[in-house]
Every structure is written in structure tokens, then in C-alpha cells.
Amino acid sequence: MFQTLYSYFWWERLWLPANLTWADLEDRDGRVYAKASDLYITIPLAFLFLVVRHLFETYVATPLAGLLNVKEKIRLKATPNAVLEKFYAATTKHPKQADVEMLSKKSGCTVRQVERWFRRRRNQDRPSLLKKFREASWRFTFYLIAFIAGMAVIVDKPWFYDLREVWKGYPIQSMLPSQYWYYMIELSFYWSLLFSIASDVKRKDFKEQIIHHVATIILISFSWFANYIRAGTLIMALHDSSDYLLESAKMFNYAGWRNTCNNIFIIFAAVFIVTRLVILPFWIMHCTVVYPLDLYPAFFGYYFFNFMMAVLQSLHIFWAYLIIRMAQKFITGKARWGPGDERSDREETDNSEEEEEVAKNGPLSNGHPVLNNNHRKAD
């Protein structure tokens, strides 16, 4: 049964144009082609990325946070209470009013005390500012290096300037060593993001992030063994072009460098909109949807690839809406927090107990009032 499923999965008519077989993509005459088995290495590389990330966050990002004066805010801890803790762990972190009144009777606390306890308990589980800074630093470093490497891989290629060259001679297109490593590193990194997403800071668009990572992994993998490598390198470089700007804006936001964060965010928003809402659909997707039909009839792999591209484009539209909305609030002065990107930098938590204390006593830093602080809470 497994062999039958395997045969159906690799049926040539699914993934290749008519009159082409996997034999046409076997190495010969000095030409080297991408092979599905090459992708096995990305799993151990993904775990290696997790190790490198841990070392980077410990020995690079943490000292950098100290240099940038990234400070933790004082969080008041919830007093131990077995009744409330059991409800918090087993039922919900956000009790309704009826639950609060019921817990008030069971625990012997007032309704106000129960509400305060849940607020403080949720704040204890919130990721620290240092954790968020370290994550942003790691992603910024990777995306910046990946973007530079990606441009080095494609900038001297004819298909970078003429998209019709993407399909010239397809699928008899030899793979270059630079393309091999670009693919392996990018795919390994996205596997590592998927493996670590449960332990990373949980953001407002958590589900969308999972869909994005899965769609990206599928697209990179399919484009590899179907030899869509030229189109794949263009797509990966295009995505990396704005991501490092977002992560750097977050870093400066966490460090309290508001003006720098604001300026980078505006640049990021412009680059994101141009690359994801203009270049990707009207140049790259036009290239993958229209040009192949000049060479061969549409087949399942053609539809599959472009469907996954449409999924990514839908996510880009969703994120662009949030980014534009945040930019409007920022420009009009209505933003409640630094423009660290509404799409992925807000947790679904209540206002913290510290914010209550700020409202009463003014801003705090390390437990003491801060003078000359005219900025709103940025996270």
C-alpha cells in the first residue's frame, strides 16, 4: 500500500509537464539537477539552526540588549491560591463575570481581588521584553544575511532582469551550487521557525504565521524537486527584502528608541507594500501564471504551485491591512504603542497590572518613577 501511494505521489503527470519524465532531470553531460532527496538534509540543519539560535541569543543578543538598555518592567506576582490556579490552568485564563463571582465565593476573595489575581497571573506568563528582543535580533540577523546572500545569488542572472528567462529551456535547467545552498538554508530556517513556534512569543496572528510557514515550506520544497528554482530564488529574495526591516524596528522599539523605530517602520511599510502587493502579484505571479503556458499546457503541478502562491498573497493582503492601519494610527498620533507592526507584535493579553500602577503613580522603571518620559507604553 505504501509503495502504491508513493508511486501515485511521484507520478510524473502530477508534477511535470506533458512528455517530460523524472529521467529528463537526471544528472548528465555535466549538468546537475535538483533532487527531492536533497531536501532530507534540511531537517538536521533546522535543528542546527535552533542550536545556533540559542547560542546567538545567549552570547550576542543578550549583551546587545544590555548595550541598548533594554529594561524589564516590574511585574507584580499573583499570590499563591490553589482554587484560582486550578481554574487558571484547567479552564481558562480569561474568566467571565459569572466565573469570577463563583471563584470569589470558593476562594474567599472579593471579586476585585479575583480579577486582579487573574490579571497578574496572566502577566506572569507574558514573554519578557528581553525574550522578545532576543527573538527579533535573531530573525533580523538571519533575514539581513539571507537577503544579501539571495541578491548575490540572483543579481547577475539574466532572469533577474528578464522574467521570461525564468522558463527558458525549462525544465532542462542546471542547478548552480549557490542556488543549492540558498535553498537548503532558507528551507532549514523555515523548518526551525515551525519547530520553535510553540515556544516563541505567541502573537496576534499565530494561526496565520503557522499557515505562512507551512505554505512557505511546501512552496520551497515543490519548487525544488519540480526544478522551479529560478522562480523560487526570486520569490525568497523578495520576501527577505522587508522582513529584516520589521525585525530591526522591533528591536529599537523594545530598546525605547522611538524615533528610530518610527522611521524604520515607515520604510518597512513602504518596502512591504511595494514588494508584496505590487512586485509579487504583478511581476512574479504573472511570471509563474502566464509565461509557462507559452511552453506547455497547464498541469497539476502548475496549478498547485500557483495556488500556494495565492495563499501567500492572501496572507500578505491581510498583513498589509494591519500594517496600513497601524501606520495611519501612527501618523495621526493615535497609536497606543510604537509601530512595531500590528500584524505580529501584539499578544492577546489584558492590560498589565503595571499599567494600572502607571495610571496611578506615573511610569516606572525598576520600581522607581521615570522623569521626562513622554512616550506611551510601546509594547
Side-chain angles (χ1 to χ4, degrees):
M1 180 179 177
F2 176 78
Q3 185 61 38
T4 302
L5 292 174
Y6 182 84
S7 300
Y8 276 117
F9 181 81
W10 290 109
W11 185 34
E12 290 152 335
R13 294 289 67 78
L14 284 179
W15 308 113
L16 296 177
N19 302 323
L20 289 172
T21 68
W22 295 117
D24 295 317
L25 299 181
E26 292 180 358
D27 298 347
R28 64 169 64 90
D29 301 328
R31 290 179 174 269
V32 178
Y33 298 99
K35 305 172 187 64
S37 58
D38 294 334
L39 301 183
Y40 291 142
I41 195 176
T42 61
I43 301 301
L45 281 178
F47 287 104
L48 179 61
F49 260 117
L50 294 177
V51 173
V52 173
R53 171 182 171 174
H54 173 73
L55 296 175
F56 176 89
E57 291 184 350
T58 302
Y59 298 106
V60 178
T62 300
L64 179 61
L67 291 174
L68 294 178
N69 203 29
V70 176
K71 294 182 179 180
E72 297 290 353
K73 294 184 180 295
I74 300 299
R75 290 181 178 174
L76 303 178
K77 293 185 178 181
T79 55
N81 188 304
V83 173
L84 301 182
E85 185 66 39
K86 181 179 180 181
F87 188 91
Y88 179 89
T91 307
T92 180
K93 299 178 181 180
H94 300 269
K96 297 179 180 179
Q97 188 59 36
D99 296 324
V100 171
E101 294 174 358
M102 178 269 293
L103 290 169
S104 173
K105 296 176 181 179
K106 283 189 175 181
S107 63
C109 303
T110 64
V111 169
R112 175 61 176 164
Q113 288 172 332
V114 172
E115 292 173 341
R116 182 183 295 115
W117 187 95
F118 273 90
R119 185 161 48 249
R120 291 182 178 179
R121 185 64 181 84
R122 284 192 297 268
N123 288 332
Q124 287 178 220
D125 288 345
R126 290 178 64 187
S128 68
L129 198 62
L130 177 59
K131 177 178 174 63
K132 290 187 283 189
F133 179 88
R134 285 161 41 138
E135 285 187 12
S137 300
W138 164 248
R139 289 192 295 267
F140 163 76
T141 302
F142 176 83
Y143 288 135
L144 179 59
I145 294 174
F147 175 63
I148 295 172
M151 293 303 297
V153 168
I154 63 176
V155 74
D156 62 338
K157 306 300 187 296
W159 55 87
F160 181 72
Y161 305 96
D162 182 2
L163 291 179
R164 288 189 178 275
E165 291 286 331
V166 168
W167 305 107
K168 185 177 181 179
Y170 178 84
I172 313 302
Q173 297 173 338
S174 184
M175 175 190 65
L176 302 175
S178 58
Q179 293 172 327
Y180 173 86
W181 285 110
Y182 187 34
Y183 256 80
M184 296 304 107
I185 290 173
E186 284 276 353
L187 183 55
S188 300
F189 178 74
Y190 278 101
W191 273 120
S192 73
L193 289 183
L194 192 61
F195 294 158
S196 64
I197 196 167
S199 59
D200 288 345
V201 175
K202 189 172 183 179
R203 307 185 187 281
K204 187 176 181 179
D205 61 347
F206 179 75
K207 294 179 181 178
E208 289 82 2
Q209 285 288 342
I210 293 178
I211 295 172
H212 174 268
H213 295 340
V214 172
T216 301
I217 289 170
I218 292 174
L219 262 175
I220 294 176
S221 301
F222 170 76
S223 65
W224 178 258
F225 63 71
N227 214 28
Y228 279 35
I229 295 178
R230 293 181 181 181
T233 53
L234 291 174
I235 294 167
M236 290 189 294
L238 188 70
H239 280 73
D240 290 336
S241 64
S242 63
D243 287 339
Y244 70 90
L245 292 170
L246 170 62
E247 301 303 333
S248 62
K250 291 180 184 179
M251 291 169 61
F252 287 113
N253 181 43
Y254 300 145
W257 294 32
R258 301 293 186 267
N259 290 335
T260 304
C261 169
N262 297 344
N263 294 332
I264 294 177
F265 179 80
I266 294 301
I267 297 172
F268 156 73
V271 173
F272 184 94
I273 291 170
V274 170
T275 56
R276 309 290 181 93
L277 299 189
V278 179
I279 296 178
L280 186 65
F282 296 107
W283 270 268
I284 304 299
M285 291 185 68
H286 181 267
C287 169
T288 62
V289 172
V290 176
Y291 295 163
L293 299 181
D294 295 337
L295 302 175
Y296 49 77
F299 62 104
F300 174 79
Y302 164 87
Y303 291 117
F304 178 79
F305 182 83
N306 286 294
F307 170 75
M308 296 307 298
M309 287 290 293
V311 171
L312 280 184
Q313 187 58 35
S314 299
L315 291 172
H316 296 155
I317 294 172
F318 166 74
W319 282 322
Y321 164 73
L322 296 180
I323 291 169
I324 292 171
R325 190 174 68 176
M326 188 64 235
Q328 288 177 334
K329 291 180 180 179
F330 163 61
I331 292 171
T332 58
K334 296 179 180 180
R336 293 183 302 157
W337 55 292
D341 178 18
E342 251 188 52
R343 79 170 197 177
S344 60
D345 198 39
R346 296 187 69 178
E347 294 75 43
E348 296 184 45
T349 57
D350 289 351
N351 291 335
S352 67
E353 185 72 20
E354 291 83 359
E355 289 174 324
E356 286 191 356
E357 297 299 325
V358 167
K360 296 176 183 177
N361 307 317
L364 299 177
S365 177
N366 296 328
H368 302 287
V370 175
L371 301 178
N372 294 325
N373 189 338
N374 297 319
H375 304 298
R376 292 171 180 246
K377 190 178 188 307
D379 198 18

